Amino acid sequence: MERREFIASLVAGGCAGMCVDLTLFPLDTIKTRLQSQQGFYKAGGFRGIYAGVPSAAVGSFPNAAAFFVTYESIKSLLGAATAPPMAPVTHMLAASLGEIVACLIRVPTEVVKQRTQACPSSNTYQVLLATLREEGFRGLYRGYGSTVLRESGQKTIAGPHVLPISADGLARNAERQS
């Protein structure tokens, strides 16, 4: 992968991820509170709908950037060594590896974000400290395995269809800019 492609993947992926995450944040908060053991209203109802947004904002850009950089790098490495009929497999593998890397960033931010959403009387920093104090560093990665399985499964199915379109669009856009 050339430096220009790397930077395009990094910036475009990060910006896209951040826009999506911050735009849909209130819906995510409602979903989290509906799933809360306390019940929707005790978990905060519609109050503090942006509780946990700092965690999402901090993790969103690097999470999406890590996915797209890994995806494009693996695709680049494997694409040159595989025959055209194997292109879908290349996209699937690249997307799965991209998710494994992205989840290293996504899962800790999601743990803190969801706990803050379910307990809006606490702020993001308090939830982070409480998690580290009570569960240690491993507490931030609670659910890592299941998240990787879910996300890589989704990307494996959608990847060969959706990701090539977005990656090609990024490349064409980068070429037009130069």
Side-chain angles (χ1 to χ4, degrees), residues 77-155:
L77 288 170
L78 296 177
T82 57
M86 293 300 289
V89 175
T90 299
H91 288 286
M92 288 178 192
L93 185 58
S96 292
L97 292 172
E99 281 303 333
I100 290 169
V101 171
C103 282
L104 291 170
I105 299 165
R106 180 182 306 130
V107 171
T109 60
E110 282 289 310
V111 166
V112 172
K113 179 192 72 154
Q114 289 177 353
R115 291 177 182 186
T116 306
Q117 288 172 325
C119 184
S121 61
S122 298
N123 65 40
T124 300
Y125 184 68
Q126 290 170 330
V127 170
L128 172 64
L129 290 180
T131 301
L132 289 172
R133 185 175 50 255
E134 294 167 15
E135 301 174 59
F137 190 71
R138 290 180 62 122
L140 294 174
Y141 284 91
R142 183 173 297 267
Y144 176 80
S146 60
T147 302
V148 166
L149 287 173
R150 181 192 71 203
E151 297 295 326
S152 61
Q154 185 267 336
K155 289 284 191 314

